[in-house]
Amino acid sequence: MLMQPNNEMRNFKRQVLTRVRGLREEREKAVDEYASTLVNLRSLRARLQVAEHEAQTVRERARKAGNTVAELLAIEELIENSWKDSREPAVSESSEGAASDMRKEMQAASSADDEPVMAAAGGDWPSDGMEGGM
């Protein structure tokens, strides 16, 4: 009769250890996923900075080629409206805030001779309604 309680205790101990290992695995998987997501985020931010710099450079080149701020704003508004109409719901609100921040930075970088054209174009960048940022 003493053997049965020992067997039950051993089985109970195995069950507990199996559950503990399962919890550890879940925690490890969760932290691995978190680390992977942070690496992906860092990569996307770096690529975003490169793309923003390139967009600013190309915008300046377009201005030097004789395009007015009003024309560039009209193109940006067309793209923004098309994007809103066709985008997937999975696009996060924070990415819209980053785009808004980029437009504000580009506006600040515009030369002083753009000011009269800006007023004629409505005086501001097209709004996406998400000026709150990230």
Side-chain angles (χ1 to χ4, degrees):
M1 286 244 157
L2 291 175
M3 290 301 231
Q4 188 176 10
N6 285 337
N7 287 339
E8 287 177 10
M9 186 57 73
R10 185 180 59 226
N11 290 341
F12 176 74
K13 195 177 191 181
R14 278 188 194 141
Q15 289 174 351
V16 168
L17 291 175
T18 301
R19 288 181 188 161
V20 168
R21 285 186 194 109
L23 292 174
R24 285 184 193 153
E25 284 179 21
E26 286 179 29
R27 289 181 59 204
E28 288 176 9
K29 284 180 184 177
V31 78
D32 288 349
E33 185 178 350
Y34 178 65
S36 176
T37 301
L38 287 179
V39 169
N40 291 341
L41 179 60
R42 179 67 134 185
S43 173
L44 288 171
R45 284 181 177 159
R47 291 182 2 214
L48 176 61
Q49 286 179 336
V50 169
E52 287 173 340
H53 177 73
E54 183 179 345
Q56 180 63 33
T57 301
V58 173
R59 183 181 191 281
E60 290 170 3
R61 197 176 319 141
R63 283 289 292 134
K64 287 179 182 176
N67 295 288
T68 66
V69 171
E71 290 170 327
L72 298 177
L73 288 174
I75 291 168
E76 290 173 18
E77 186 173 355
L78 174 70
I79 291 169
E80 187 67 27
N81 289 337
S82 296
W83 182 261
K84 285 180 184 178
D85 292 343
S86 67
R87 76 176 194 174
E88 295 179 23
V91 175
S92 73
E93 301 297 329
S94 61
S95 65
E96 289 182 9
S100 175
D101 292 345
M102 184 178 104
R103 284 195 303 275
K104 287 177 183 177
E105 289 174 17
M106 290 173 67
Q107 181 183 16
S110 295
S111 62
D113 65 335
D114 291 348
E115 294 306 321
V117 178
M118 287 293 292
D124 203 353
W125 291 92
S127 173
D128 61 6
M130 299 303 298
E131 270 68 30
M134 289 202 251

